Amino acid sequence: MISEAIDNEQIDALLSDVLEVHGYDFLEYSHASIKRRITRLYTLDNFVSFAEFRYAVKSDKQYFKRFLEEITVNVTEMFRDPGFYRSLRHDVLPVLGTYPFIRIWVAGCSTGEEAYSLAILLKELNLLQKSLIYATDINPSVLEKAKKGMFPLNYLKGYSENYVASDGTKDFSSYYTANYSLAKFDESLSSKMIFSTHNLVSDHSFNEFQFILCRNVLIYFDKELQHKVFQLFDNSLEKLGYLALGSKESLDFWPKAKEYKRVKLEKIWRKL
Amino acid sequence: MAQTIADKKCSALVIGGSAGSLDVLLEIFPDLKSNLSFPIILVTHRKSGNDSLLTDLLKSRTHLIVNEAEEKQPILRGNVYITPGDYHLLIEEEITISLDYSEKVNYSRPSIDVTFQSAAEVFKDELVCILLSGSNADGVEGLKIVEKWGGRVIIQNPDTAIMPYMPQQALNEIKTALVLNSFEMAAFINKLNN
């Protein structure tokens, strides 16, 4: 989507409204990305002027819901980066399996594809019954979708290939039932998930976990906000717990990174 | 024409290409000066997971510093940044890289349009963009924005491109574009030095 440029002052004014009126703070998001998302939505919804767009965001609750859903990126897939899931299967989850109880936080879970992928791995390793997956997102409407565990059927071929590439050996279709254009995933998977809104920018730690997974969320944050979120994860992670990031994200420039040890080649770190 | 278009200041060069562009890149890079006064950002369509292949190929053929682009990485002169598969590449005002995993554009991620537009808004009339061979129309909308901001547009001669569709689409839309054959590009890029 290509459209007319909106200037930086307009973006800042809009984001200040959003913080003031709705309490969501996007001011520390990466500027180029958030500007692109806002420009995209503004064009998509055919507003006659930016002032009108700004007014709708400020005063129309229904429209703000759409705004929140559209300016956050909710693109995700199951078993994305099969090498990462291979490493979870062989290196991380077997270690966590030695604990009596496993608490996992999927931060920025969007529509839930990663939480369900993780539940499948836990099930195959016979660990699901003693696990609890907390799946959180800033955006209530994606959580509604995640709870349902229904994903478009036309994506399932790709997910199934990812699953096989991640060393999955079962018949992937045994995890869901096709229902018109949707694949409904088995409720035994979602029975071990707790969905809740959580804003990484403004909300605090709410539990202690052995594993925190937050992939392709931090790329949208500026450096300072990234470091704040790392601190939040650090406060929420048990000693010897694991932290997993997206394939282009890194703990490297965070001052406390030396208290973490990288697990092989994947973007997984263990708290020392 | 080639003389005047190369005379303005260049702060960044963005090269976009799809099917058939690899040969051109491999032809251009060995002949580039190692002390270029601007960065080069490459956006090419390819399958994810094959990231290091293009990086390795280019590294072995140039004295410029070749990087697989990392998020928040500063963009420096004399460096080449390759957009990783499956991410869009955006440029921040402070001349750093942002990666973005949002919807595909023109069925593509990375999308050439996305990076051309983002670069145009930051580098304005000091931007040079080159669009190479390809078989879809990604890049064309972005070039329109580059042109609008006063940036310079170079399009590979469709008659000599392996896949002429993409450069031809661009040529139909961008009237100020300079058309070059692949063997003329390295000399042109070297002349942008300032």
Side-chain angles (χ1 to χ4, degrees):
Chain A
M1 176 71 51
I2 290 293
S3 37
E4 294 297 305
I6 295 171
D7 67 43
N8 295 339
E9 287 73 36
Q10 290 172 308
I11 301 282
D12 289 347
L14 178 77
L15 293 181
S16 302
D17 288 348
V18 168
L19 175 58
E20 202 176 303
V21 178
H22 303 285
Y24 289 93
D25 186 354
F26 290 106
L27 292 165
E28 290 177 287
Y29 275 52
S30 281
H31 201 84
S33 292
I34 195 89
K35 184 176 173 185
R36 180 165 170 264
R37 300 302 290 174
I38 290 172
T39 309
R40 171 183 169 275
L41 182 62
Y42 172 64
T43 312
L44 209 60
D45 288 353
N46 286 316
F47 282 96
V48 288
S49 70
F50 194 79
E52 196 200 357
F53 176 56
R54 201 178 144 188
Y55 184 77
V57 170
K58 202 170 163 175
S59 20
D60 180 343
K61 276 213 171 75
Q62 238 8 68
Y63 189 73
F64 180 71
K65 209 177 142 208
R66 171 169 170 77
F67 176 85
L68 191 61
E69 195 170 340
E70 290 298 323
I71 67 159
T72 52
V73 173
N74 289 301
V75 179
T76 173
E77 55 182 76
M78 292 186 80
F79 292 96
R80 175 171 188 211
D81 305 326
F84 169 78
Y85 282 95
R86 217 160 33 231
S87 189
L88 292 191
R89 184 189 290 273
H90 299 302
D91 305 323
V92 174
L93 297 181
V95 176
L96 295 181
T98 62
Y99 297 171
F101 192 73
I102 310 170
R103 277 187 311 275
I104 301 174
W105 180 14
V106 181
C109 70
S110 188
T111 39
E113 282 80 344
E114 294 206 303
Y116 283 86
S117 307
L118 199 52
I120 288 172
L121 283 187
L122 290 164
K123 190 169 182 162
E124 293 185 0
L125 296 168
N126 281 323
L127 301 173
L128 188 60
Q129 71 286 352
K130 62 169 179 175
S131 302
L132 208 45
I133 300 173
Y134 292 74
T136 66
D137 200 276
I138 182 177
N139 191 336
S141 22
V142 294
L143 290 171
E144 285 308 313
K145 291 181 191 164
K147 269 180 214 169
K148 294 193 177 113
M150 295 202 276
F151 305 121
L153 202 54
N154 51 333
Y155 295 159
L156 267 290
K157 184 171 174 286
Y159 295 171
S160 172
E161 288 165 4
N162 285 351
Y163 167 76
V164 171
S166 74
D167 287 355
T169 52
K170 295 258 166 46
D171 179 0
F172 193 61
S173 64
S174 67
Y175 290 110
Y176 61 87
T177 43
N179 192 345
Y180 299 99
S181 62
L182 293 170
K184 165 101 178 89
F185 275 76
D186 200 284
E187 277 174 15
S188 65
L189 302 172
S190 53
S191 69
K192 290 298 186 175
M193 298 178 193
I194 295 172
F195 296 95
S196 163
T197 55
H198 182 277
N199 186 343
L200 290 170
V201 181
S202 50
D203 292 340
H204 297 287
S205 175
F206 59 96
N207 210 329
E208 239 189 14
F209 300 92
Q210 284 98 21
F211 182 24
I212 299 175
L213 193 137
C214 181
R215 302 178 75 216
N216 293 307
V217 176
L218 299 172
I219 49 174
Y220 303 110
F221 296 172
D222 72 17
K223 269 243 139 67
E224 288 71 40
L225 181 54
Q226 285 183 354
H227 290 181
K228 268 194 247 173
V229 175
F230 286 147
Q231 189 55 54
L232 167 66
F233 290 159
D234 191 51
N235 296 342
S236 313
L237 196 61
E238 269 182 14
K239 204 169 152 62
L240 298 177
Y242 293 91
L243 172 65
L245 303 176
S247 64
K248 290 290 156 188
E249 294 162 334
S250 175
L251 213 55
D252 289 348
F253 301 103
W254 180 48
K256 285 173 83 172
K258 52 188 178 302
E259 294 164 30
Y260 284 75
K261 184 175 179 289
R262 181 100 177 252
V263 177
K264 293 191 177 165
L265 292 172
E266 295 300 332
K267 293 294 177 77
I268 305 170
W269 285 263
R270 190 168 199 198
K271 186 174 178 174
L272 300 174
Chain B
M1 180 72 182
Q3 198 56 47
T4 51
I5 204 167
D7 277 347
K8 275 164 68 181
K9 180 175 163 57
C10 171
S11 291
L13 169 66
V14 182
I15 304 176
S18 188
S21 65
L22 181 62
D23 292 3
V24 186
L25 294 173
L26 297 181
E27 186 180 345
I28 295 174
F29 271 79
D31 295 332
L32 293 181
K33 288 184 191 166
S34 59
N35 63 341
L36 289 181
S37 57
F38 50 86
I40 301 178
I41 297 159
L42 273 185
V43 191
T44 59
H45 297 156
R46 60 211 162 114
K47 273 203 162 294
S48 64
N50 276 336
D51 285 350
S52 58
L53 185 68
L54 180 61
T55 311
D56 292 345
L57 276 174
L58 288 185
K59 266 186 183 161
S60 65
R61 284 168 171 79
T62 176
H63 296 293
L64 294 161
I65 303 157
V66 180
N67 307 268
E68 175 83 29
E70 296 277 343
E71 70 110 19
K72 304 290 184 294
Q73 186 175 22
I75 301 173
L76 305 173
R77 56 163 54 197
N79 278 250
V80 182
Y81 301 89
I82 298 178
T83 307
D86 224 13
Y87 288 87
H88 297 303
L89 186 148
L90 301 170
I91 295 154
E92 300 284 347
E93 300 275 343
E94 54 267 36
I95 323 294
T96 58
I97 288 167
S98 273
L99 297 175
D100 179 308
Y101 184 62
S102 57
E103 298 81 357
K104 292 182 177 181
V105 175
N106 307 315
Y107 307 101
S108 307
R109 188 172 51 223
S111 150
I112 303 167
D113 273 343
V114 168
T115 305
F116 278 172
Q117 172 172 23
S118 177
E121 288 171 12
V122 171
F123 296 110
K124 305 192 168 74
D125 65 339
E126 294 177 5
L127 176 68
V128 180
C129 287
I130 302 181
L131 189 67
L132 302 176
S133 168
S135 50
N136 76 1
D138 192 20
V140 178
E141 289 299 314
L143 286 181
K144 285 188 199 167
I145 292 169
V146 173
E147 186 185 40
K148 207 188 89 190
W149 282 100
R152 286 164 282 174
V153 173
I154 289 84
I155 298 171
Q156 183 182 2
N157 183 354
D159 296 339
T160 60
I162 296 176
M163 292 291 175
Y165 185 82
M166 195 155 87
Q168 186 60 55
Q169 293 298 306
L171 208 52
N172 296 347
E173 299 281 344
I174 314 295
K175 299 305 171 198
T176 61
L178 174 68
V179 179
L180 291 179
N181 291 305
S182 58
F183 60 85
E184 298 171 302
M185 284 184 187
F188 173 83
I189 294 169
N190 287 331
K191 255 197 274 176
L192 293 170
N193 242 6
N194 40 47

